Amino acid sequence: MGLPEKFISCDWGTSNFRLRLVETHSLRILSEVRTDQGIKKCYQLFTAQSERSQESFFADYLLAQLEKLDVQEAGKVYLVASGMLSSSIGMQELEYCQMPIAFTGEGLISKWHPVKNKLDLLLISGARTNNDVMRGEEMQAIGLSDYLPKNEKGVLLLPGTHSKHIHFDAGRFIDFTTYMTGELFEVIGKHTILSASLEESQWSPLNKDIFLRGVEKGVDNQLMASLFSIRANSLIHKSSSSENYYFLSGLLIGAELSHFKDSSETVFLAVTGIQNELYQLALKSFIPEARIVCFEPQIIETALLVGQRKILEAHVK
């Protein structure tokens, strides 16, 4: 039947919800709804009631948000959902697919799921190895694969709360590792003795040296021995809370990236904003710049939609 002119993209993560009406060919966003009712919060609300089933509870929320998109289409609407909606705390659990996954998305588990006879939902699973799992990042990786070398090895780096380092070879994603860099930064900064010595502040080039000092310690496997030095430096050397903030950032990012020190693979960095600058600074401090490829923001921003379109195309052709 071929691709529809439009489809609805659902990105339902642990903490946030996003629904977008998308022009299929151009991937232009026609309308959008965002809320802070991620899967975790929605599941908590579900468990606090007993009238509706888990599937019905999530379906009702999805349909209520869909009305806000002002979708005026004849017939059924095609909605593509990746991320946590297919998890055990989502609408319907799908088993993780086992790596490897082709750049085309072949290998992922996906299925049509009718939602109260009002729309056709294409539910997409996550991916796993024998030691790790992910839901959502694999779709971004599939969308970015058009810009990865098809006949070479490399690592796709997706920084975030739970950073993913996804290894690829010859047109397939073959392995990945999760680093809890973002979550650890938040926990340490808010819930440890170091919190009194840290203050979030806007990035300035003046913080570059202290950030790279942290990176160096992290890369050299001195994370655990360096954490308390933040408090000591505040007390003894009167280091500022802003300096400490970026030292901690460098320390954790350096620890995350340290394994690249002993490898020769090219790193493909996919992140926007200040994280792009910080990860670039960290990588360039200890590996050759020729081994670092940074994606343009527009490519990163449309990666999820490209990946979802690939899966949709496989189901409707």
PDB file of all heavy atoms in Angstrom, residues 1 94 104 126 176 185 188 261 278 316:
ATOM      1  N   MET A   1       0.807  -1.218   0.000  1.00  0.00           N
ATOM      2  CA  MET A   1       0.000   0.000   0.000  1.00  0.00           C
ATOM      3  C   MET A   1       0.841   1.269   0.000  1.00  0.00           C
ATOM      4  O   MET A   1       0.352   2.353  -0.268  1.00  0.00           O
ATOM      5  CB  MET A   1      -0.920  -0.008   1.215  1.00  0.00           C
ATOM      6  CG  MET A   1      -0.244  -0.213   2.539  1.00  0.00           C
ATOM      7  SD  MET A   1      -1.454  -0.299   3.897  1.00  0.00           S
ATOM      8  CE  MET A   1      -0.416  -0.968   5.183  1.00  0.00           C
ATOM      9  N   LEU A  94       7.092  -5.721  24.591  1.00  0.00           N
ATOM     10  CA  LEU A  94       7.674  -6.501  23.510  1.00  0.00           C
ATOM     11  C   LEU A  94       9.059  -6.944  23.945  1.00  0.00           C
ATOM     12  O   LEU A  94       9.801  -6.196  24.580  1.00  0.00           O
ATOM     13  CB  LEU A  94       7.807  -5.671  22.228  1.00  0.00           C
ATOM     14  CG  LEU A  94       6.535  -5.267  21.487  1.00  0.00           C
ATOM     15  CD1 LEU A  94       6.908  -4.558  20.175  1.00  0.00           C
ATOM     16  CD2 LEU A  94       5.664  -6.474  21.184  1.00  0.00           C
ATOM     17  N   THR A 104      19.309  -0.965   8.326  1.00  0.00           N
ATOM     18  CA  THR A 104      17.946  -0.787   7.812  1.00  0.00           C
ATOM     19  C   THR A 104      16.888  -0.944   8.894  1.00  0.00           C
ATOM     20  O   THR A 104      15.723  -0.621   8.682  1.00  0.00           O
ATOM     21  CB  THR A 104      17.659  -1.823   6.724  1.00  0.00           C
ATOM     22  OG1 THR A 104      17.791  -3.146   7.291  1.00  0.00           O
ATOM     23  CG2 THR A 104      18.618  -1.680   5.553  1.00  0.00           C
ATOM     24  N   GLY A 126      12.891  -2.671  21.914  1.00  0.00           N
ATOM     25  CA  GLY A 126      14.254  -2.223  22.127  1.00  0.00           C
ATOM     26  C   GLY A 126      15.228  -3.301  21.693  1.00  0.00           C
ATOM     27  O   GLY A 126      14.856  -4.257  21.004  1.00  0.00           O
ATOM     28  N   PHE A 176      26.783  -2.796  22.195  1.00  0.00           N
ATOM     29  CA  PHE A 176      26.707  -1.474  22.813  1.00  0.00           C
ATOM     30  C   PHE A 176      26.951  -1.590  24.312  1.00  0.00           C
ATOM     31  O   PHE A 176      26.819  -2.661  24.914  1.00  0.00           O
ATOM     32  CB  PHE A 176      25.356  -0.804  22.543  1.00  0.00           C
ATOM     33  CG  PHE A 176      24.162  -1.467  23.195  1.00  0.00           C
ATOM     34  CD1 PHE A 176      23.725  -1.080  24.462  1.00  0.00           C
ATOM     35  CD2 PHE A 176      23.475  -2.475  22.543  1.00  0.00           C
ATOM     36  CE1 PHE A 176      22.639  -1.687  25.053  1.00  0.00           C
ATOM     37  CE2 PHE A 176      22.381  -3.088  23.122  1.00  0.00           C
ATOM     38  CZ  PHE A 176      21.954  -2.699  24.385  1.00  0.00           C
ATOM     39  N   PHE A 185      25.969  12.153  37.523  1.00  0.00           N
ATOM     40  CA  PHE A 185      26.246  13.575  37.727  1.00  0.00           C
ATOM     41  C   PHE A 185      25.148  14.216  38.572  1.00  0.00           C
ATOM     42  O   PHE A 185      25.410  14.981  39.504  1.00  0.00           O
ATOM     43  CB  PHE A 185      26.369  14.277  36.377  1.00  0.00           C
ATOM     44  CG  PHE A 185      26.825  15.696  36.469  1.00  0.00           C
ATOM     45  CD1 PHE A 185      28.172  16.012  36.484  1.00  0.00           C
ATOM     46  CD2 PHE A 185      25.909  16.745  36.553  1.00  0.00           C
ATOM     47  CE1 PHE A 185      28.605  17.330  36.575  1.00  0.00           C
ATOM     48  CE2 PHE A 185      26.319  18.050  36.649  1.00  0.00           C
ATOM     49  CZ  PHE A 185      27.670  18.355  36.669  1.00  0.00           C
ATOM     50  N   ILE A 188      25.258  12.707  42.306  1.00  0.00           N
ATOM     51  CA  ILE A 188      26.391  13.247  43.058  1.00  0.00           C
ATOM     52  C   ILE A 188      26.174  14.727  43.370  1.00  0.00           C
ATOM     53  O   ILE A 188      26.445  15.201  44.480  1.00  0.00           O
ATOM     54  CB  ILE A 188      27.703  13.055  42.271  1.00  0.00           C
ATOM     55  CG1 ILE A 188      28.056  11.564  42.199  1.00  0.00           C
ATOM     56  CG2 ILE A 188      28.852  13.831  42.924  1.00  0.00           C
ATOM     57  CD1 ILE A 188      29.185  11.243  41.243  1.00  0.00           C
ATOM     58  N   LYS A 261      40.873   5.409  24.666  1.00  0.00           N
ATOM     59  CA  LYS A 261      42.324   5.642  24.723  1.00  0.00           C
ATOM     60  C   LYS A 261      43.100   4.478  24.106  1.00  0.00           C
ATOM     61  O   LYS A 261      44.152   4.675  23.487  1.00  0.00           O
ATOM     62  CB  LYS A 261      42.737   5.846  26.189  1.00  0.00           C
ATOM     63  CG  LYS A 261      44.220   6.080  26.418  1.00  0.00           C
ATOM     64  CD  LYS A 261      44.512   6.346  27.874  1.00  0.00           C
ATOM     65  CE  LYS A 261      44.131   5.157  28.760  1.00  0.00           C
ATOM     66  NZ  LYS A 261      44.529   5.364  30.173  1.00  0.00           N
ATOM     67  N   LEU A 278      31.373  19.881  25.217  1.00  0.00           N
ATOM     68  CA  LEU A 278      32.120  19.218  26.280  1.00  0.00           C
ATOM     69  C   LEU A 278      32.676  17.871  25.822  1.00  0.00           C
ATOM     70  O   LEU A 278      33.840  17.546  26.100  1.00  0.00           O
ATOM     71  CB  LEU A 278      31.232  19.033  27.510  1.00  0.00           C
ATOM     72  CG  LEU A 278      30.765  20.313  28.205  1.00  0.00           C
ATOM     73  CD1 LEU A 278      29.906  19.981  29.424  1.00  0.00           C
ATOM     74  CD2 LEU A 278      31.948  21.172  28.620  1.00  0.00           C
ATOM     75  N   VAL A 316       4.622  -1.326   5.473  1.00  0.00           N
ATOM     76  CA  VAL A 316       3.526  -0.926   4.602  1.00  0.00           C
ATOM     77  C   VAL A 316       3.799  -1.135   3.122  1.00  0.00           C
ATOM     78  O   VAL A 316       2.924  -0.926   2.296  1.00  0.00           O
ATOM     79  CB  VAL A 316       3.136   0.564   4.832  1.00  0.00           C
ATOM     80  CG1 VAL A 316       2.690   0.787   6.246  1.00  0.00           C
ATOM     81  CG2 VAL A 316       4.284   1.492   4.459  1.00  0.00           C
TER      82      VAL A 316
END
